Amino acid sequence: MRLIVACTLLVLSLVVHAQAYPNRPVKLIVADAAGGAPDQLARMLAEKLSIGLSQQVVVDNRAGAGGVLGAEIAAKSPPDGYTLLMTTSAIYALLPNLRKTLPYDPVKDFVPISRIATASNVLVVNNALPAKSVAELIKLAKEKPGQLNYASAGLGTPAHLAGEMLNLMADINVVHVPYKGAAPALQDVIAGNAQYLITSPIAAGAHMNGGRVRALATTGKERNPSLPDLPTIADTVPGYDITQTWGIVVPGGTPPDIVKRLSDEIAKVMKMDDMKVRVLATGATPAGDGPAAFDSFMANGRKRMGDVIAKRGIVLTE
């Protein structure tokens, strides 16, 4: 009899817990510094999600080790719905393929909630470069194998992988020159020390508008809504597709009812007209798909990036 009563009380406590969620503030970890694209998107989401959950959602910036620090903290947090992580392409796709060991498992340690936004990057070239299109750039690279350089924000960054994907799929040999960030990489493209760079529209926008670099194309399957006049690289190199993606995950073991609550609330937020406008203004495209779709998207991203990394022999030291 006592066992039956105890089991009944346990079930009732779980039901009450689920109904009460959330009954205190929720933390949203961003594995990036304040002001960056993940941080901007997280703060937009937190503002709206706080209303939907009737609890404050607090953004917690934990930059370090290219995203590893924030991901590790989130992975080791209690699976109770009170810790969310703004995951990125680097966290779920690049780092797992670039490093032999990580303090988190991108599959086992997290449960997907929803994709938030994606952003295709832009290929910009030095103004003196004669190439006026992707086709002309590829032709020039084939005529001068190993003589052109492309810049990136650093080893293992999305810009680096985007450049290597172009090398691989277009069968060209352009030398990678890594920098400590997008800003110095852009400056060297402007100066002509590197011929091109694939970077975010946010980073390159002022230089594009000021005529200091020339934009040739964007990197997604479809045209970037913020740059509708630019073709895609895929128009010339079929199958080329690399975008930056941001989404929400929670620690592995988080109860399904909490996962559903978070997924439903985030879907509502991402469908709001003003939220769409704000996301588009950053150069990103709003998403808002559910756990299954986001899980499939991340798995596909890991495989595609893993193929490029393996075929190009890219190694990132621990």
Side-chain angles (χ1 to χ4, degrees):
M1 184 65 181
R2 289 181 179 178
L3 179 60
I4 294 174
V5 171
C7 290
T8 301
L9 289 174
L10 175 61
V11 170
L12 287 174
S13 68
L14 291 173
V15 170
V16 169
H17 170 76
Q19 291 175 338
Y21 174 82
N23 53 30
R24 54 188 170 86
V26 175
K27 179 169 62 178
L28 172 51
I29 294 177
V30 176
D32 195 55
D39 179 67
Q40 292 180 46
L41 291 169
R43 291 181 188 280
M44 292 179 198
L45 177 64
E47 178 187 331
K48 299 287 188 180
L49 195 56
S50 294
I51 298 172
L53 293 176
S54 299
Q55 285 289 342
Q56 186 178 13
V57 178
V58 182
V59 174
D60 182 11
N61 295 91
R62 295 298 186 100
V68 174
L69 177 61
E72 180 182 10
I73 292 171
K76 294 179 179 178
S77 296
D80 54 11
Y82 289 95
T83 299
L84 318 180
L85 171 68
M86 175 68 81
T87 193
T88 66
S89 306
I91 290 172
Y92 70 75
L94 300 187
L95 289 168
N97 282 301
L98 286 167
R99 294 192 175 182
K100 292 181 179 179
T101 59
L102 281 173
Y104 68 89
D105 184 305
V107 178
K108 296 179 181 178
D109 288 343
F110 297 109
V111 175
I113 298 295
S114 178
R115 192 164 44 135
I116 299 302
T118 61
S120 57
N121 287 337
V122 59
L123 190 164
V124 296
V125 302
N126 173 266
N127 282 329
L129 200 70
K132 300 296 193 297
S133 68
V134 174
E136 290 181 5
L137 177 63
I138 291 172
K139 181 175 182 292
L140 183 64
K142 287 181 180 292
E143 291 171 350
K144 298 182 176 182
Q147 296 180 49
L148 301 183
N149 299 327
Y150 80 87
S152 85
L155 290 168
T157 61
H160 178 196
L161 272 294
E164 288 306 303
M165 182 179 282
L166 186 58
N167 268 341
L168 179 66
M169 297 185 71
D171 191 24
I172 55 178
N173 178 18
V174 180
V175 179
H176 173 229
V177 181
Y179 291 80
K180 293 182 178 179
L186 269 164
Q187 289 301 322
D188 255 21
V189 170
I190 292 169
N193 297 321
Q195 280 65 56
Y196 65 87
L197 167 71
I198 297 174
T199 189
S200 75
I202 298 173
H207 300 291
M208 289 160 53
N209 295 334
R212 290 182 288 277
V213 291
R214 184 170 65 252
L216 298 187
T218 54
T219 63
K221 283 183 182 178
E222 301 172 351
R223 294 195 177 202
N224 187 326
S226 67
L227 298 166
D229 295 332
L230 283 181
T232 66
I233 293 176
D235 291 336
T236 303
V237 184
Y240 186 97
D241 175 28
I242 181 168
T243 58
Q244 294 191 64
T245 300
W246 302 274
I248 300 298
V249 296
V250 291
T254 299
D257 54 331
I258 292 179
V259 169
K260 185 178 187 307
R261 174 74 191 282
L262 288 168
S263 177
D264 289 348
E265 292 297 338
I266 290 174
K268 291 176 187 176
V269 169
M270 300 314 298
K271 289 177 182 176
M272 295 177 182
D273 290 340
D274 61 332
M275 186 67 173
K276 291 178 181 178
V277 170
R278 292 172 68 185
V279 173
L280 286 169
T282 69
T285 301
D289 47 13
F294 188 31
D295 188 42
S296 177
F297 182 90
M298 289 190 290
N300 181 57
R302 272 190 298 275
K303 183 181 183 306
R304 294 183 75 249
M305 290 300 98
D307 288 345
V308 173
I309 289 165
K311 289 176 181 177
R312 297 300 298 173
I314 301 170
V315 177
L316 193 65
T317 56
E318 298 296 326

